[in-house]
Amino acid sequence: MRVFTILILSLLLQLMVSHADEFCAHSGPGCESLSESSLLKLLDKFISALKTGKSSKVVDLYRKKNPLLLATLDNSPITNTSGLTTYFDKFLLNSPVATIIQTFAFLDGNILAGLYNFEVNVLSEKCAPKKCGPTTSIQCSHDCRTIVRARFTFFYECNKNIWKIAHHHSSKLPFQTNETSNNVHHAWK
């Protein structure tokens, strides 16, 4: 089944790369294709924004007009900044900590895809955020955390020399395994 998952991801990426020129036509002047290291820095920026716990920091990484998020923990496509804010407000209550497992950089389409793990809070009666006056503490003990293995695709668009996330797909792997991180990176032109 794992081979099937990788095959589907590969086909999706090939489709996106084959239509990348359509998207790149909307990029602003002075925006060159991204290098592998630049794509990885943009992914690090996303992970750092998650660490802040502030949805506004994460949402700022997406383009303002017609962003698309096919989210890990939501069944509906999210297509505007208010939807992104609502999703990340809820998602960040889980105190996500991301670890990159593997990346695939498609340099001619400004696309980064791969696998990551999220360590997140398990919210239940035993493991719920604690109310502390007007604020909520989301520090849960190790017993109340779990690992969610997921795949991702980020398509970046440049506008006024600033790279933004135009499309982001993230989905839980259908079969959760105990694989460990080996941080493998691949790049194609």
Side-chain angles (χ1 to χ4, degrees):
M1 192 59 164
R2 183 174 181 190
V3 172
F4 178 74
T5 300
I6 292 171
L7 178 64
I8 294 297
L9 180 60
S10 175
L11 290 172
L12 174 65
L13 291 172
Q14 287 175 357
L15 178 64
M16 290 176 72
V17 169
S18 69
H19 293 286
D21 288 342
E22 297 169 23
F23 295 108
C24 291
H26 300 292
S27 294
C31 296
E32 301 297 325
S33 289
L34 291 166
S35 66
E36 179 183 11
S37 64
S38 295
L39 284 166
L40 292 171
K41 284 178 186 173
L42 288 169
L43 179 59
D44 286 340
K45 196 173 181 180
F46 176 78
I47 291 169
S48 294
L50 291 175
K51 287 179 186 177
T52 69
K54 297 178 181 176
S55 62
S56 61
K57 296 284 187 191
V58 182
V59 173
D60 282 346
L61 300 175
Y62 289 80
R63 71 179 180 188
K64 300 297 179 228
K65 183 179 178 187
N66 302 320
L68 175 62
L69 171 60
L70 302 174
T72 308
L73 301 177
D74 200 306
N75 290 333
S76 300
I78 299 167
T79 59
N80 56 51
T81 53
S82 66
L84 289 172
T85 300
T86 300
Y87 175 78
F88 284 111
D89 280 344
K90 184 176 178 182
F91 182 69
L92 292 172
L93 285 176
N94 297 312
S95 296
V97 176
T99 303
I100 304 305
I101 304 301
Q102 189 172 30
T103 62
F104 300 89
F106 293 85
L107 304 178
D108 58 349
N110 302 316
I111 297 169
L112 186 65
L115 303 173
Y116 49 23
N117 289 342
F118 276 105
E119 182 179 349
V120 295
N121 292 341
V122 176
L123 302 180
S124 65
E125 281 186 33
K126 177 183 163 197
C127 304
K130 298 175 183 156
K131 283 284 191 185
C132 303
T135 62
T136 301
S137 170
I138 54 175
Q139 300 301 320
C140 292
S141 69
H142 186 39
D143 292 345
C144 293
R145 306 250 322 143
T146 191
I147 301 286
V148 176
R149 288 159 177 41
R151 54 193 160 208
F152 65 87
T153 304
F154 288 92
F155 170 74
Y156 292 94
E157 179 180 79
C158 185
N159 191 335
K160 299 179 183 173
N161 293 326
I162 299 172
W163 287 98
K164 296 286 189 173
I165 300 166
H167 171 90
H168 174 196
H169 171 253
S170 182
S171 59
K172 186 176 171 184
L173 292 177
F175 302 101
Q176 298 294 298
T177 65
N178 291 323
E179 291 180 31
T180 57
S181 171
N182 55 5
N183 294 318
V184 177
H185 304 287
H186 305 278
W188 293 281
K189 287 188 176 187

